[in-house]
Amino acid sequence: GENVEQHPSTLSVQEGDSAVIKCTYSDSASNYFPWYKQELGKRPQLIIDIRSNVGEKKDQRIAVTLNKTAKHFSLHITETQPEDSAVYFCAASWGGTYKYIFGTGTRLKVLA
Amino acid sequence: GAVVSQHPSWVICKSGTSVKIECRSLDFQATTMFWYRQFPKQSLMLMATSNEGSKATYEQGVEKDKFLINHASLTLSTLTVTSAHPEDSSFYICSATPGQGTGANVLTFGAGSRLTVL
């Protein structure tokens, strides 16, 4: 079945620096890749997503890149701020199932 | 935007009792809802896909007789943890997608239900 790997599991950066989180997926039929941010004890919130017909998408300080050939996608956060500290999950979905498989999560700490 | 309501947000029960968790899509109809389980500091593990008007589809390793799912309407799915035991203590989160229109496959999550079985 589909498998999504995510790295690193933890990431600490200084405020203002950039953070990059990487995910790889196994099923080449995957065509939708969202990223979720989850703060402690709260629900995951969608922060950005990308579809398989696009290589890159940007929304202010957040960007996502997709390499379909290599089956990996990455989240880039620039000019990090303390409020960016949270757990970030990547996910892969395919076809019309809307079924998501999540990565293992990355705990990001932005140090002031 | 799409809103998913989940209730209760936390519940404590005695071992052997059953607990029901409700998941409602408030401003859209959800043919399909999903139930996830999350252990502390771990990822979201898909338990089952809840299909309106039909039986749920369970992921491998999830006991369908223990985790009963009912999707009686386009806006409500329920998860019942039967004969709960301490190892069932976890954070259960539901999610739903409009399935059509803009954001058709964007998953919106409920706030989660923290179950503690004594």
Side-chain angles (χ1 to χ4, degrees):
Chain A
E2 173 68 280
N3 183 51
V4 178
E5 295 188 357
Q6 183 172 346
H7 299 281
S9 57
T10 60
L11 179 60
S12 293
V13 299
Q14 288 294 135
E15 182 178 0
D17 288 350
S18 297
V20 180
I21 303 171
K22 298 181 179 181
C23 287
T24 59
Y25 58 97
S26 60
D27 192 337
S28 57
S30 298
N31 59 6
Y32 176 67
F33 308 92
W35 284 89
Y36 283 81
K37 175 183 180 182
Q38 186 179 30
E39 297 179 10
L40 189 62
K42 297 188 177 180
R43 77 186 77 193
Q45 299 273 13
L46 177 70
I47 56 171
I48 196 167
D49 57 12
I50 192 168
R51 301 184 187 275
S52 59
N53 59 347
V54 176
E56 184 175 358
K57 184 176 178 180
K58 189 174 182 180
D59 182 5
Q60 299 182 334
R61 297 187 297 110
I62 296 174
V64 56
T65 58
L66 170 65
N67 184 325
K68 287 172 53 180
T69 302
K71 290 191 284 189
H72 68 70
F73 56 112
S74 301
L75 177 71
H76 304 253
I77 305 174
T78 59
E79 300 172 29
T80 54
Q81 301 167 3
E83 52 265 37
D84 294 330
S85 297
V87 179
Y88 292 80
F89 292 99
C90 63
S93 178
W94 60 98
T97 66
Y98 312 125
K99 178 179 171 179
Y100 290 19
I101 300 299
F102 283 87
T104 47
T106 297
R107 187 171 299 275
L108 173 65
K109 291 185 182 179
V110 179
L111 308 172
Chain B
V3 178
V4 174
S5 172
Q6 188 172 341
H7 178 82
S9 56
W10 59 270
V11 58
I12 301 172
C13 70
K14 293 183 178 180
S15 186
T17 60
S18 294
V19 173
K20 180 185 284 189
I21 301 170
E22 292 188 350
C23 181
R24 294 180 184 272
S25 56
L26 297 185
D27 51 358
F28 66 97
Q29 294 184 331
T31 305
T32 304
M33 291 185 175
F34 302 90
W35 287 94
Y36 289 83
R37 182 174 182 176
Q38 187 176 34
F39 290 105
K41 296 185 179 181
Q42 293 192 23
S43 188
L44 297 131
M45 300 298 297
L46 180 64
M47 298 176 65
T49 302
S50 172
N51 303 299
E52 187 267 336
S54 65
K55 292 183 179 180
T57 304
Y58 290 83
E59 294 300 303
Q60 190 174 6
V62 178
E63 299 176 61
K64 62 179 181 180
D65 294 330
K66 179 156 191 66
F67 299 100
L68 300 179
I69 291 173
N70 183 276
H71 195 149
S73 76
L74 286 171
T75 58
L76 174 64
S77 175
T78 61
L79 168 67
T80 301
V81 183
T82 63
S83 187
H85 291 283
E87 57 266 30
D88 298 324
S89 299
S90 189
F91 192 52
Y92 294 89
I93 310 178
C94 71
S95 63
T97 174
Q100 59 183 355
T102 303
N105 59 341
V106 175
L107 212 55
T108 299
F109 286 88
S113 300
R114 186 163 301 283
L115 171 63
T116 301
V117 184
L118 303 176

